[in-house]
Amino acid sequence: MKNVISIKDFKKEDFDLVFSVAEDIEKNPSKYNKILDGKVISSIFYEPSTRTRLSFDSAIKKLGGNAIGFSDTASISVKKGETFLDTIKMVSSYSDLIVTRTNIEGAPRIASEITDVPVINAGDGKNQHPTQTFLDLYTIKKEKGSLENLSIGFLGDLKYGRTVYSLLQAIILYKPKKIKLIAHAFFQIDRSYLDMLREHNVDFEVLEDINDNLRDLDVLYVTRTQIERIADAIDLEPLKKRYTITKEILDNSSNPNLIVLHPLPRVYEITKDVDDTPYALYFKQAKNGVVVRQALICICMGLIKNE
Amino acid sequence: MSEDKFFRQIGYINDGVVIDHISCGMAFDIVKILKLDALKDFVVVASNFKSNKYGAKDLIKIKSKELTDTELNKIALLSKHATINIINNGKVLKKWKVNLPDSIFNILKCNNPSCITNIEQIPTKFYVINKDLIKVRCHYCEKDQTNILIK
């Protein structure tokens, strides 16, 4: 594994390797804290980011590396009209690995093809957000013990939320027991993903309301409405109450083992009274982003020896 | 005189290529995309011709022309049932049905406006994921597309 571009590129063995390295990093952090000594990692973020950028910065520093880059395009040569490809070629000569986020879909893929340094996709428009999927799966595996045969519900914006697409592409490798896709018709998942689930013989349901649909789930993955990606005008107010998860809703599901994940930022979709309950895994999920990204950086740079 | 005989006489070529069994109505798109109207040698186009196999078809005959792989792929994209007949000394030397390859390079335009190939000058690459439906997937933005656009 040299690049992390799209979840579609990975097999189960690749996920297992990342989880195994992330676990080792958690247990033995001092083993890794100089592994990037003398190395420079570039973070080039054309779109705003809090968690992803900060967790990559943290991951790089915890591995003993140096981080350079930019997180907005206001004051850089992009404003002068420099193309993405030229920027990648230039940044490649300054760094040992590139992490990039952009709204141009497919840009990380071409980046990995024009440079010899590893490239990690930190999100490309509506397309992929693979590192989020790695940490989502790692979180689920840590809590549930295994990723096999789980019942997973997806709630909220399933149309514009790239984390949903990436996670679905990955979870089918683990033969889920059931997938529930709970969203307003406007935000329901693209039909091509239903075709994908059918091709993999996954039992799924397309639902429009929360109702009694949490009772048999192992995991509920909640997403924010991606307003910034919506071209059509839509009034969100009527949707807010209908698709908001509260402690009361979770308690009424009679499912004490249910875990709730969210890629964050959370806006209205999960109320604060859920935060201190055993259901709430989303802050642990964000925290896991650091070790998972540490693992991905080490693997992509060929620093993990097979034992 | 029968239609068949009329077309054989008016469109006779001794050497060249005949593109047969073109989906009805697609011949003019093929002429445009392959720029056949700019050729020096003659081109004969017949549309809505009777076909025993498909009911109706289009045909193109091009004198002294060899089709490149890129042109063959474009024909396959526009008309998946087309057959290519190589004519030499008035006889059919070789004949085959067009076949879409598994990957298509720099022929199609991605219909996703946010794709890197539409923002910067990069040759496109697509995978054919369903030959019957002519469904392709962009190598870069990973979008599946059926309403293909030939560059």
Side-chain angles (χ1 to χ4, degrees):
Chain A
M1 185 198 292
K2 187 191 163 195
N3 302 296
V4 178
I5 305 299
S6 165
I7 284 300
K8 288 181 176 138
D9 298 337
F10 300 108
K11 302 190 205 62
K12 234 169 139 180
E13 305 88 82
D14 300 315
F15 289 106
D16 292 344
L17 173 63
V18 173
F19 300 151
S20 153
V21 174
E23 246 175 57
D24 198 44
I25 293 172
E26 270 199 281
K27 287 182 188 148
N28 306 293
S30 55
K31 195 170 141 190
Y32 296 87
N33 63 9
K34 286 184 174 32
I35 202 169
L36 285 189
D37 197 26
K39 304 287 184 193
V40 176
I41 312 291
S42 296
S43 294
I44 53 172
F45 278 56
Y46 289 78
E47 278 194 313
S49 166
T50 306
R51 265 149 303 281
T52 307
R53 182 146 200 266
L54 291 178
S55 78
F56 266 111
D57 279 356
S58 175
I60 293 161
K61 287 180 163 66
K62 286 183 179 218
L63 293 171
N66 299 293
I68 61 172
F70 56 79
S71 58
D72 74 76
T73 56
S75 57
I76 54 170
S77 59
V78 169
K79 273 289 181 193
K80 298 176 194 168
E82 184 171 64
T83 63
F84 176 82
L85 294 188
D86 281 356
T87 302
I88 290 291
K89 285 178 188 166
M90 182 257 304
V91 168
S92 298
S93 53
Y94 304 155
S95 34
D96 300 293
L97 182 143
I98 298 172
V99 178
T100 179
R101 168 174 282 193
T102 167
N103 64 353
I104 306 175
E105 290 159 31
R109 175 76 67 194
I110 185 77
S112 71
E113 291 173 0
I114 62 165
T115 173
D116 288 333
V117 308
V119 175
I120 295 181
N121 178 10
D124 62 326
K126 287 187 276 192
N127 189 28
Q128 289 276 338
H129 192 357
T131 67
Q132 180 69 44
T133 300
F134 276 101
L135 75 93
D136 290 344
L137 290 173
Y138 183 70
T139 304
I140 297 170
K141 185 171 188 287
K142 274 182 77 168
E143 294 302 319
K144 294 292 177 183
S146 167
L147 291 169
E148 304 278 350
N149 204 36
L150 295 173
S151 293
I152 303 177
F154 292 84
L155 171 74
D157 181 355
L158 311 187
K159 182 175 178 178
Y160 298 100
R162 62 191 169 194
T163 59
V164 170
Y165 294 136
S166 293
L167 185 54
L168 270 175
Q169 285 165 14
I171 204 67
I172 56 176
L173 298 175
Y174 294 92
K175 298 190 183 350
K177 186 175 178 183
K178 178 99 178 194
I179 299 285
K180 288 188 182 181
L181 302 157
I182 310 167
H184 182 273
F186 183 85
F187 289 103
Q188 196 42 272
I189 202 157
D190 190 275
R191 214 178 59 181
S192 62
Y193 284 85
L194 302 182
D195 293 338
M196 180 187 77
L197 293 174
R198 281 188 200 102
E199 276 165 37
H200 288 84
N201 296 317
V202 174
D203 181 15
F204 70 88
E205 276 186 271
V206 175
L207 301 157
E208 217 170 305
D209 281 290
I210 298 172
N211 285 341
D212 198 30
N213 289 310
L214 307 186
R215 190 177 293 273
D216 55 348
L217 294 179
D218 296 299
V219 180
L220 179 64
Y221 192 88
V222 184
T223 60
R224 169 185 68 90
T225 305
Q226 306 273 307
I227 302 166
E228 66 276 18
R229 303 201 195 282
I230 299 172
D232 310 306
I234 181 165
D235 182 9
L236 294 174
E237 282 310 310
L239 302 183
K240 284 179 181 174
K241 195 174 174 193
R242 202 167 155 196
Y243 298 101
T244 294
I245 289 293
T246 64
K247 183 174 177 298
E248 186 184 353
I249 287 174
L250 292 170
D251 288 341
N252 288 344
S253 72
S254 303
N255 186 357
N257 296 318
L258 176 64
I259 58 173
V260 177
L261 271 64
H262 190 305
L264 301 177
R266 167 238 336 236
V267 182
Y268 61 82
E269 18 347 305
I270 303 176
T271 53
K272 294 220 182 307
D273 62 355
V274 176
D275 293 358
D276 293 325
T277 68
Y279 305 111
L281 263 293
Y282 30 93
F283 293 123
K284 252 194 213 177
Q285 181 188 359
K287 187 180 175 193
N288 286 336
V290 178
V291 289
V292 168
R293 287 169 174 131
Q294 284 178 278
L296 288 168
I297 289 169
C298 290
I299 294 168
C300 287
M301 291 185 68
L303 299 171
I304 300 298
K305 295 177 184 48
N306 286 329
E307 288 166 9
Chain B
M1 188 194 288
S2 71
E3 275 180 16
D4 204 42
K5 193 172 176 184
F6 173 80
F7 189 68
R8 273 205 299 272
Q9 284 190 356
I10 200 98
Y12 177 80
I13 55 169
N14 197 52
D15 294 285
V17 62
V18 176
I19 311 169
D20 199 355
H21 300 112
I22 299 170
S23 303
C24 204
M26 293 309 295
F28 301 105
D29 284 347
I30 291 176
V31 166
K32 189 176 163 191
I33 282 167
L34 266 54
K35 296 187 174 59
L36 299 179
D37 49 346
L39 292 178
K40 289 200 171 93
D41 281 305
F42 76 72
V43 177
V44 178
V45 179
S47 184
N48 206 17
F49 213 63
K50 200 170 83 174
S51 163
N52 292 333
K53 203 168 178 183
Y54 300 106
K57 66 180 181 182
D58 289 359
L59 266 136
I60 300 175
K61 296 187 183 187
I62 316 159
K63 187 168 180 264
S64 307
K65 168 89 178 139
E66 284 181 32
L67 291 168
T68 63
D69 285 346
T70 300
E71 288 170 329
L72 287 167
N73 287 339
K74 287 182 182 179
I75 294 167
L77 285 164
L78 289 167
S79 188
K80 64 186 181 187
H81 297 302
T83 51
I84 308 295
N85 300 264
I86 305 299
I87 310 297
N88 185 251
N89 279 333
K91 291 194 169 80
V92 177
L93 182 70
K94 201 174 163 191
K95 180 175 180 168
W96 72 94
K97 191 175 166 188
V98 292
N99 182 39
L100 269 178
D102 295 330
S103 308
I104 301 174
F105 296 94
N106 211 23
I107 290 177
L108 297 175
K109 179 171 156 42
C110 184
N111 66 18
N112 175 10
S114 301
C115 180
I116 184 80
T117 60
N118 287 321
I119 293 170
E120 300 194 11
Q121 297 306 311
I122 298 164
T124 58
K125 181 177 173 182
F126 285 84
Y127 304 108
V128 180
I129 54 175
N130 188 315
K131 290 191 181 184
D132 287 329
L133 299 174
I134 308 194
K135 191 175 184 182
V136 298
R137 177 174 295 152
C138 176
H139 166 70
Y140 294 107
C141 75
E142 303 184 1
K143 293 284 172 296
D144 291 351
Q145 299 161 47
T146 48
N147 51 332
I148 55 166
L149 302 164
I150 297 180
K151 283 187 181 185

